[in-house]
Amino acid sequence: MVGVPLARRTKKRAQKRPARIGSVLEYAALGWPVVPGAYALPHGPRACSCDRVGCPDPGAHPLSPAWHMQATTDPALLTRWWQAEPEANVILPTGRVFDVFDVPLAAGLAALTRIDAAGAHPGPVAAHGDRVLFYVATRGNPEDEDEWWSCHLDCDPEAIDDTPGLRWHCRDSYVLAPPSTLPGARTVSWLRPPDGRPLPDPLRILEWLAD
């Protein structure tokens, strides 16, 4: 590093550091609870940073089984967590502030094209490997618990394989959020980032997806 200015070396190191805490704090500012996730390991005998041998979902699950209780919007606590685990993926619980429609890539992109062409608001939309995630207003956390209703599309993390097409993540589920990484250095990224507008009605987005 002889002859390289200190400022340039510092900038180069900063570019290599995971910038996930910035996104985490942005989600918290939106009122979206966050919890740290495991992350994929590119080298070595294990595929996931968790302690589970032969993890079936590397880098796509919370670090702690107590994630339901740990998820928070507290900036100080979130900062402390990501200082301890700067490469931790970003997990967002569903059924609290928002639900998520999780659909195959081709179907999701086609629906997004139709929504845009109609001048409608799709809400935040993310690409997650071969899936597209549509963030919608939740119906999983009503003031009156008797008003909550379930359907066969509801997914919790353990039931995803049973619903390979459209999945509706609501209460007791979660999604992996940008800028998390997947095995093979793939990333979760926003196609339409949150912009502060109210989240769309889930039944309206479901109509677009059903079409």
Side-chain angles (χ1 to χ4, degrees), residues 140-162:
N141 191 27
E143 293 183 5
D144 183 353
E145 283 294 305
D146 291 335
E147 293 181 1
W148 184 80
W149 51 273
S150 62
C151 73
H152 70 283
L153 298 175
D154 289 344
C155 276
D156 60 42
E158 289 73 29
I160 283 178
D161 291 339
D162 299 329

Side-chain angles (χ1 to χ4, degrees), residues 99-176:
D99 292 350
V100 171
F101 288 125
D102 174 350
V103 300
L105 181 64
L109 294 179
L112 185 57
T113 298
R114 292 194 298 271
I115 294 170
D116 287 342
H121 173 45
V125 183
H128 175 173
D130 60 354
R131 311 287 298 186
V132 174
L133 309 181
F134 288 80
Y135 287 63
V136 296
T138 186
R139 56 96 173 117
N141 191 27
E143 293 183 5
D144 183 353
E145 283 294 305
D146 291 335
E147 293 181 1
W148 184 80
W149 51 273
S150 62
C151 73
H152 70 283
L153 298 175
D154 289 344
C155 276
D156 60 42
E158 289 73 29
I160 283 178
D161 291 339
D162 299 329
T163 316
L166 173 63
R167 308 163 185 163
W168 191 336
H169 294 274
C170 56
R171 56 169 58 188
D172 300 327
S173 190
Y174 56 78
V175 291
L176 197 62

